[in-house]
């Protein structure tokens, strides 16, 4: 390799900010989840004082991460951390609605413990909810790192900017994509391979609504693709598997993809 290339890498190293690694940032969030959901870990029971101490330590760690990121020079990172933990009980309540939705909707789910410990859908939703709380506080970089960590672990890609209501039920989940400006109501069910995405757009449209709105009580089956910021799926609708939608659907509609499948039996030779 040339000296010019080495010099280029050297200059980059001297200009890149010392942001904590993705693993460190993800570890903070997973430790937080283990505190609010002890089902995720095997540590012994803490006393009330120890629980208070651990949450205080997590708050200090979040402030340290925000300070180290340095992408927001004018932010009051201590206030952001304090506000996040003040709202944590409400965040926890919303996560519990997601557990309830999975337990009620999935015949295979035997207990809340099973959902918390093993369901990729709940992991992706809970990590999104933490990331979204930081996203709406204008925290840079960290929210996306958290949801991409969940994406790498579960195959479920939820942008932290999406607005998602309560009781979200994700079944299986692999291949689900939920774009930045997506709006999802309450009691929505999503199956694997669903894409809530944007039509082909230019970069200048970054601050416009590019992704669909899914109203309350909607079910979207596997492989469905719904695109566009003006696309609204009305309340109580059912979207069948492999449907491709770029236009709005009235409330209580059923939309399905009609395919033609032929089975040809081959006669066995004597």
């Amino acid at each position: 390799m040339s000296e010019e290339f080495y010099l280029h890498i050297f200059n980059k190293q001297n200009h890149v900010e010392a942001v904590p690694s993705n693993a460190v940032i993800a570890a903070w969030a997973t430790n937080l989840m283990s505190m609010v959901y002890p089902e995720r870990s095997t540590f012994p029971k803490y006393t009330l004082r120890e629980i208070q101490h651990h949450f205080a330590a997590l708050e200090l760690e979040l402030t340290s991460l925000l300070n180290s990121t340095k992408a927001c020079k004018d932010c009051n990172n201590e206030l952001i951390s304090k506000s996040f933990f003040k709202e944590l009980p409400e965040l926890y309540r919303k996560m519990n609605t997601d557990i309830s939705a999975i337990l009620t909707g999935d015949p295979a789910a035997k207990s809340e413990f099973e959902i918390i410990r093993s369901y990729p859908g709940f992991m992706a939703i809970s990590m999104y909810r933490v990331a979204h709380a930081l996203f709406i506080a204008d925290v840079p970089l960290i929210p996306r790192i958290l949801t991409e960590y969940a994406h790498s672990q579960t195959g479920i890609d939820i942008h932290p900017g999406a607005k998602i209501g309560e009781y979200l039920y994700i079944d299986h989940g692999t291949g689900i994509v939920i774009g930045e400006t997506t709006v999802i109501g309450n009691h929505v069910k999503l199956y694997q391979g669903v894409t809530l995405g944007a039509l082909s757009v230019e970069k200048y449209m970054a601050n416009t609504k590019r992704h669909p709105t899914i109203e309350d009580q909607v079910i979207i089956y596997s492989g469905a693709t719904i695109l566009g910021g003006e696309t609204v799926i009305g309340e109580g609708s059912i979207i069948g598997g492999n449907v491709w939608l770029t236009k709005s659907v009235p409330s209580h509609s059923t939309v399905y993809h009609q395919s033609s499948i032929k089975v040809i039996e081959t006669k066995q030779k004597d």
Side-chain angles (χ1 to χ4, degrees), residues 4-267:
E4 183 181 1
F5 178 75
Y6 291 132
L7 181 61
H8 172 71
I9 299 301
F10 173 78
N11 288 333
K12 284 188 69 175
Q13 289 181 345
N14 283 276
H15 286 88
V16 171
E17 294 177 354
V19 175
S21 70
N22 289 10
V24 168
I25 292 170
W28 169 81
T30 54
N31 288 337
L32 173 66
M33 292 303 300
S34 294
M35 282 302 301
V36 295
Y37 291 111
E39 296 92 336
R40 290 171 51 93
S41 60
T42 56
F43 55 65
K45 292 181 179 179
Y46 290 136
T47 66
L48 181 59
R49 185 174 294 277
E50 286 172 332
I51 289 172
Q52 292 170 333
H53 171 76
H54 280 290
F55 277 118
L58 286 165
E59 183 176 330
L60 287 174
E61 186 178 356
L62 177 57
T63 301
S64 178
L65 291 174
L66 296 174
N67 288 336
S68 298
T69 304
K70 296 180 181 178
C72 183
K73 297 178 181 178
D74 299 325
C75 292
N76 186 334
N77 292 326
E78 288 187 7
L79 180 60
I80 291 172
S81 297
K82 189 176 295 293
S83 297
F84 174 86
F85 279 89
K86 183 179 179 181
E87 294 299 319
L88 184 59
E90 173 62 11
L91 203 60
Y92 176 67
R93 185 193 67 78
K94 289 181 179 179
M95 291 178 191
N96 285 338
T97 71
D98 302 322
I99 295 172
S100 176
I102 296 170
L103 188 61
T104 302
D106 186 358
K110 300 297 189 292
S111 67
E112 290 188 359
F113 185 97
E114 181 183 27
I115 293 166
I116 293 165
R117 177 63 75 89
S118 65
Y119 269 52
F122 177 66
M123 178 187 176
I125 297 166
S126 57
M127 195 65 75
Y128 152 79
R129 293 206 184 277
V130 171
H132 181 70
L134 296 173
F135 182 90
I136 61 177
D138 293 325
V139 171
L141 188 59
I142 290 176
R144 192 61 186 267
I145 288 174
L146 294 180
T147 53
E148 287 303 331
Y149 170 75
H151 182 194
S152 71
Q153 297 295 305
T154 66
I156 300 168
D157 183 1
I158 308 177
H159 193 285
K163 297 178 181 178
I164 298 177
E166 300 176 4
Y167 296 93
L168 177 62
Y169 169 32
I170 290 179
D171 194 12
H172 302 294
T174 304
I176 284 179
V177 177
I178 301 175
E180 179 183 15
T181 60
T182 302
V183 176
I184 297 176
N186 299 320
H187 297 280
V188 170
K189 293 184 179 181
L190 302 178
Y191 288 81
Q192 68 271 20
V194 168
T195 297
L196 304 179
L199 291 164
S200 180
V201 293
E202 301 295 333
K203 185 65 177 181
Y204 72 86
M205 298 178 67
N207 294 322
T208 63
K209 190 176 187 309
R210 309 180 305 282
H211 305 90
T213 295
I214 312 300
E215 294 185 344
D216 296 348
Q217 304 283 351
V218 169
I219 301 173
I220 306 177
Y221 284 101
S222 60
T225 298
I226 303 173
L227 306 177
E230 296 182 359
T231 304
V232 177
I233 305 304
E235 178 180 358
S237 292
I238 299 174
I239 309 301
N242 299 318
V243 163
W244 177 282
L245 277 176
T246 58
K247 294 182 179 180
S248 295
V249 170
S251 297
H252 305 289
S253 298
T254 299
V255 182
Y256 62 93
H257 171 73
Q258 189 170 21
S259 61
S260 177
I261 299 174
K262 293 182 179 180
V263 178
I264 300 174
E265 296 184 13
T266 304
K267 294 182 179 180

